[in-house]
Amino acid sequence: MLEALLLGLIEGLTEFLPISSTGHLLIAEHWLGRRSDLFNIVIQAGAILAVTLVYRHRLVELATGWRDPVARDYSLKLAASFAVTAVLGLVVKKLGYKLPETVTPVALALILGGVAILLIELWAKRQEVAVDVTWKLAIAVGVAQVLAGVFPGTSRSAAAIFAAMLLGLTDRPKAAEFAFLIGIPTMFAASAVETLSLARAGGLADEPWGELLAATLMSALTGFVSVKWLLRYVATHNFNVFAGYRIALGVVLLAFL
């Protein structure tokens, strides 16, 4: 149970930071023992529950604002982004993709992602602050989420945030908001699909549901704290500190594992 709680803690703290929650889970499981894909996906839903609570007023505003052209346009773009993620995600699943069992690809993705963050931040620094969410941006964020799932260590939130920034949404809090809001249906849907898939295969009985529930609750609690902190941080800072952390961690992993 202690190991499950620790994994939930790691998931909650890292899901919304651009440092890859899946990558950190795989690294932790190198020492704590391998968990099922269902476990790794469902505890992410706990963190997404946290962001749902953080953005509850914004979600109500979008859900009840269909008569407002601005709110309707934003909601439709979120829906389009999710649709892209869902379709491409199902294609990846049909192809039989599985999370890697070694740390090396995670370490490489951490380093490459860190370098990419530094380059994007350097580019964004020269741009005017923009808050517009375009259709091209919405599609790109959907694709980026799937790519992050294929390459653990990339970070879903990082991929979504920096895809948004590259496509013109250079206001960091606004880019983070879009990335976090699209993460809500994405991760809940991923959890549901994985659970149903395992149910059809008759594998639910083998899952330690008590540990999974405890880890999910821990993920929700720590995720709430993490996302509140990050939103305050990006209001006045860039993401370079996370790039440095990713590169340092990736180098350490390659050197010692």
Side-chain angles (χ1 to χ4, degrees):
M1 178 63 77
L2 181 60
E3 290 87 352
L5 289 173
L6 183 56
L7 291 172
L9 175 68
I10 293 170
E11 164 58 32
L13 291 176
T14 59
E15 175 63 36
F16 305 106
L17 305 182
I19 56 177
S20 178
S21 61
T22 302
H24 278 72
L25 285 176
L26 291 174
I27 293 167
E29 289 174 5
H30 183 79
W31 287 282
L32 299 177
R34 177 75 174 176
R35 295 282 177 159
S36 67
D37 287 351
L38 176 68
F39 183 95
N40 290 332
I41 291 174
V42 170
I43 64 171
Q44 290 179 329
I48 297 300
L49 176 60
V51 85
T52 303
L53 294 174
V54 171
Y55 281 106
R56 61 190 182 280
H57 298 304
R58 178 66 165 144
L59 290 169
V60 170
E61 176 186 296
L62 293 172
T64 60
W66 280 93
R67 293 184 180 180
D68 177 6
V70 175
R72 182 171 63 248
D73 180 70
Y74 193 91
S75 296
L76 288 173
K77 286 168 180 171
L78 282 172
S81 188
F82 171 67
V84 170
T85 300
V87 171
L88 293 181
L90 287 174
V91 170
V92 170
K93 187 171 179 61
K94 288 290 186 182
L95 292 174
Y97 172 77
K98 295 290 184 181
L99 290 174
E101 296 186 4
T102 61
V103 172
T104 299
V106 175
L108 292 174
L110 284 168
I111 294 170
L112 292 174
V115 173
I117 289 173
L118 292 174
L119 293 175
I120 293 169
E121 281 288 7
L122 186 62
W123 171 84
K125 187 177 180 179
R126 300 184 178 130
Q127 312 302 313
E128 293 185 5
V129 176
V131 297
D132 294 330
V133 177
T134 64
W135 284 103
K136 186 184 294 186
L137 182 154
I139 301 302
V141 168
V143 174
Q145 289 199 119
V146 177
L147 291 176
V150 173
F151 300 103
T154 302
S155 170
R156 186 206 62 79
S157 62
I161 290 170
F162 293 109
M165 289 179 64
L166 279 174
L167 269 293
L169 187 57
T170 52
D171 182 286
R172 292 179 185 83
K174 291 294 184 182
E177 179 190 83
F178 192 85
F180 292 165
L181 290 178
I182 192 57
I184 294 172
T186 298
M187 294 314 305
F188 280 147
S191 298
V193 168
E194 192 66 29
T195 303
L196 288 173
S197 176
L198 198 60
R200 292 193 187 100
L204 290 180
D206 299 327
E207 194 67 35
W209 288 101
E211 293 185 6
L212 180 55
L213 177 60
T216 302
L217 291 175
M218 176 63 78
S219 173
L221 289 172
T222 54
F224 186 86
V225 174
S226 177
V227 72
K228 293 285 282 187
W229 174 82
L230 182 64
L231 291 174
R232 288 195 299 270
Y233 181 84
V234 298
T236 55
H237 298 78
N238 60 33
F239 289 98
N240 286 343
V241 66
F242 300 108
Y245 171 81
R246 290 176 63 108
I247 294 169
L249 178 59
V251 169
V252 169
L253 291 173
L254 288 177
F256 296 101
L257 292 180

